[in-house]
Amino acid sequence: MQGTLRVSPDAFELRMNLGFLLGAYRGRIEAELQRRLDSLLGTA
């Protein structure tokens, strides 16, 4: 797994390459990241 995180004053962007095996869990990983970020940062 590898990726980048870009942070600006009003947003951030996370891009990840999960590889073959983790790619099957992309939706689940994305949903969990979103849930945790919403919890930490609050929803828009």
Side-chain angles (χ1 to χ4, degrees), residues 2-37:
Q2 64 184 28
T4 59
L5 176 63
R6 299 178 94 182
V7 179
S8 67
D10 61 341
F12 65 91
E13 177 183 17
L14 175 64
R15 291 183 179 253
M16 295 178 65
N17 182 351
L18 298 175
F20 179 72
L21 294 175
L22 288 176
Y25 297 100
R26 178 182 178 218
R28 185 177 292 183
I29 292 169
E30 219 173 291
E32 184 63 17
L33 282 170
Q34 185 68 49
R35 185 186 71 78
R36 289 184 185 214
L37 288 170

